Amino acid sequence: MTPPAIQQNLLVPCPERLPPLADGTGREVVLTMQSWAAQYHRCAMRNNGLIEVVKGL
């Protein structure tokens, strides 16, 4: 049996580094943390999708 093809968008690695915090102002902290959260969620969705494909084998 041939394994199903894995979608290429599931094979993108998570970023190794997060954008640095430029300064300690409240606005910059909030914007940076929003960016970090967005990157985490994109990566988690890919990884969870890949897990679902692998478990379905």
Side-chain angles (χ1 to χ4, degrees), residues 10-29:
L10 297 178
L11 300 176
V12 176
C14 295
E16 290 187 25
R17 296 180 188 259
L18 294 171
L21 184 61
D23 60 42
T25 62
R27 181 179 191 284
E28 180 65 24
V29 169

Side-chain angles (χ1 to χ4, degrees), residues 21-40:
L21 184 61
D23 60 42
T25 62
R27 181 179 191 284
E28 180 65 24
V29 169
V30 169
L31 292 175
T32 301
M33 291 181 73
Q34 286 175 336
S35 174
W36 293 348
Q39 287 184 32
Y40 169 80

